[in-house]
Every structure is written in C-alpha cells, then in structure tokens.
Amino acid sequence: SGGLIGGFVFKKARKLKNDKVLETFGLELMNVKHPQEVRRNSIQTGNLFIYGKTNYLYAIRLQYGRDFILFKKAPQQGAEIKAVFAVGPTIGVVAPYYVEYFPEGGGGFTARAQYDPSISFDYIAGTGRLFEGLGQSTITPGANLKAALNFELGTLKSQVTGFEAGFLLDAYVKEVEMMPSSKNYAVFPTLFLTLFYGNRK
C-alpha cells in the first residue's frame, strides 16, 4: 500500500543471551496509499494528479520485536535467514492533499486548495506544492504488527546487506478519510519487500 518506494526503515538489533535470538528496535516512515488511487493527467496542462484524493496518510511506526535465526551464515558465504516479528504503536499523520486548479471566472490564474468534489476534474491543473498543507495535519493513533523473513547476504562480517519480505498490518482507531467518494479504511494490510544495508559492531 505504499507504492514502489513506500518510505524508509531504521532498525537496530542486539543479541540476547540466547545466540539465536536478537532484540530489535525499529522506526518506519511510510506513505500509505488508498487502494483506489489512480494518477490522471490534467486536460489543462498534462500534469499528473490523483483525482478524488483529499488526504495523504503518513505512517510513523515504532516497533519492538525479536529476530530468530533459522539458518546461520557460513563465514564469507551463503545467507543468514531470520524469522522477524515486531509490534508497536503507529502515529498516523493525515495531511491535506492539495491540487492546483483554474477557478471559474479566474481569468486564467490558478489557485491551490485541498481537493474536494466541488472542484471539477476539467479545471484541475496538477498537484499542489511539495509538503503544502503539512502544517494542517491531524494525528490518528493506531498500532502495527509485522511478520517477515529476513535474508542477510553480505560477505563481510562488518557489513549487513540483504532484503526482508513479509506482511504488515496497520490498524487505526478510526477510518482515515483519504478519498471521500470511495470506501475508506481503518485497517491497512500490506505485503512488503525491504532492501537494507547496515553495519555490525
């Protein structure tokens, strides 16, 4: 639900007394998309915009979990495979989605405002400016749960590279209105693939 590049993940892990279990702390910053989002071209300018979208949803996820080592990597070769489980609170930042449009009788000048259905498709020129309206955001709290497999492929002991693939569930205390003309949701299930790079001390 985040597109090709949904956001960024920061993760720190440390070994517990059991050599095959790691304690993990994570922070994820993600853009969550509505399932019905489709980019359209403005008939006025050709610029892209998302018709019918009124709000962005940015998910700030704090996570605490465990990584269980299933297969340990041989020195200088192979892959280490871990089962990953994490849970934590989610801060949903709901920010208005601005469009640039030609007001009727505006003499060819454009205006920018949060999209609402009263703005005709034919008059929309494109999206607003980057981060426009972010100061008018509201907060919707929630929680997240993640289960995944982690494949560490690095050949150097001091480096950590690989990918993580799995399932994540975001659940908010109420529906998040992103597209008023479509069904809106409070729960967002996601299949994800994360590419990572880091270091080991």
Side-chain angles (χ1 to χ4, degrees), residues 101-137:
Y101 67 102
F102 293 93
E104 293 187 46
F109 294 99
T110 61
R112 293 187 306 277
Q114 181 181 15
Y115 171 80
D116 71 66
S118 67
I119 301 175
S120 169
F121 175 87
D122 295 341
Y123 291 98
I124 296 177
T127 59
R129 294 174 181 169
L130 187 65
F131 302 126
E132 190 168 17
L134 197 60
Q136 302 163 28
S137 301

Side-chain angles (χ1 to χ4, degrees), residues 28-163:
E28 297 189 356
L29 309 173
M30 295 289 166
N31 175 32
V32 180
K33 294 184 177 182
H34 190 282
Q36 302 300 318
E37 285 188 22
V38 178
R39 289 190 176 274
R40 306 281 294 273
N41 288 94
S42 165
I43 62 175
Q44 299 278 353
T45 63
N47 294 334
L48 290 170
F49 67 97
I50 302 169
Y51 183 60
K53 183 181 179 80
T54 57
N55 289 302
Y56 290 104
L57 173 58
Y58 300 111
I60 304 172
R61 303 182 187 123
L62 303 172
Q63 296 173 335
Y64 175 77
R66 293 286 188 273
D67 287 3
F68 298 90
I69 299 174
L70 303 179
F71 299 99
K72 201 165 182 64
K73 182 174 63 175
Q76 309 300 324
Q77 61 182 354
E80 183 167 285
I81 303 175
K82 305 183 193 77
V84 173
F85 300 96
V87 66
T90 300
I91 301 169
V93 180
V94 183
Y97 177 74
Y98 270 63
V99 292
E100 186 173 9
Y101 67 102
F102 293 93
E104 293 187 46
F109 294 99
T110 61
R112 293 187 306 277
Q114 181 181 15
Y115 171 80
D116 71 66
S118 67
I119 301 175
S120 169
F121 175 87
D122 295 341
Y123 291 98
I124 296 177
T127 59
R129 294 174 181 169
L130 187 65
F131 302 126
E132 190 168 17
L134 197 60
Q136 302 163 28
S137 301
T138 59
I139 300 297
T140 301
N144 66 85
L145 173 70
K146 179 169 76 172
L149 286 175
N150 180 296
F151 299 85
E152 185 185 320
L153 307 173
T155 56
L156 297 177
K157 190 174 181 181
S158 60
Q159 292 183 348
V160 179
T161 58
F163 65 93

